[in-house]
Amino acid sequence: TIYRNGLWNDGAEGFGHVLIEFDEPPALDEVTWESSSGGTGARYRGVITELPVSWSEARALAQQLGGELASLETEAEADFLFENLVAFHSLWTMTNYNGGPWIGLELVGGSWQWTSGVPLDWNPWRPGEPNGTGDKGCFFSYLDGPRREMDDTFNGNVRRAFIVEFEPDDTPCLG
């Protein structure tokens, strides 16, 4: 185990975080869910802000970039995004309260829906969630590192990252 101060411990059967060596560098900033892999062709970008932002601020920034906060309309989409972008620690606030990035999920008229307008029809929630503590959605984990689990929280519960989804590029290949 490596402590935050850089010192090591050889504790038995302890597990926390691991270091992984990649043969090819992973795409830590942006990934595309290729249609050849069952995806929609949408691109996703993880954005880390200098100062933490509210959900509304994150949404405005996503729109300024030409996208929208990510709408994870299916479990397959959520799995792809988590495995290829969200699981990397740079998008998380690594404290006891592991605040993951904002996504485009909000409570509208008593029902959860994505910013795309599609109703939430699968269960992305961490056990015990949503617990009524807010009307915006984000990735969340408590004490145990990144998880593909969501939390309902309030707009002002600032985060240091968010996920932008860009529409598939329908530009035909001229080559």
Side-chain angles (χ1 to χ4, degrees):
T1 305
I2 304 172
Y3 292 113
R4 290 181 185 194
N5 64 4
L7 298 177
W8 290 68
N9 180 17
D10 62 349
E13 297 183 30
F15 181 78
H17 306 287
V18 297
L19 296 174
I20 301 172
E21 182 177 342
F22 294 91
D23 291 330
E24 298 290 326
L28 296 178
D29 296 328
E30 188 170 295
V31 295
T32 300
W33 193 22
E34 301 290 348
S35 55
S36 61
S37 301
T40 62
R43 290 182 301 119
Y44 305 89
R45 183 181 303 161
V47 177
I48 301 172
T49 58
E50 186 175 339
L51 298 173
V53 295
S54 69
W55 187 90
S56 297
E57 292 168 326
R59 185 172 190 192
L61 290 168
Q63 291 169 341
Q64 286 175 12
L65 291 170
E68 181 60 80
L69 286 178
S71 293
L72 311 179
E73 297 170 5
T74 66
E75 286 188 74
E77 186 175 9
D79 289 341
F80 169 82
L81 192 61
F82 184 79
E83 292 168 9
N84 291 281
L85 186 67
V86 178
F88 295 102
H89 282 246
S90 59
L91 296 174
W92 292 72
T93 303
M94 296 310 296
T95 62
N96 289 345
Y97 177 81
N98 289 321
W102 287 117
I103 53 171
L105 182 60
E106 63 180 329
L107 188 62
V108 178
S111 297
W112 287 95
Q113 73 176 29
W114 300 103
T115 50
S116 64
V118 173
L120 174 64
D121 65 356
W122 62 280
N123 182 9
W125 303 107
R126 181 173 177 83
E129 301 293 341
N131 62 6
T133 58
D135 62 352
K136 308 298 181 203
C138 62
F139 279 94
F140 175 75
S141 181
Y142 184 71
L143 294 175
D144 52 2
R147 299 268 186 226
R148 191 193 60 82
E149 299 174 337
M150 309 300 170
D151 179 31
D152 65 322
T153 191
F154 54 96
N155 181 62
N157 187 353
V158 295
R159 307 280 159 157
R160 65 181 291 250
F162 56 95
I163 307 297
V164 182
E165 181 175 350
F166 300 96
E167 291 294 319
D169 183 7
D170 293 328
T171 306
C173 178
L174 301 176

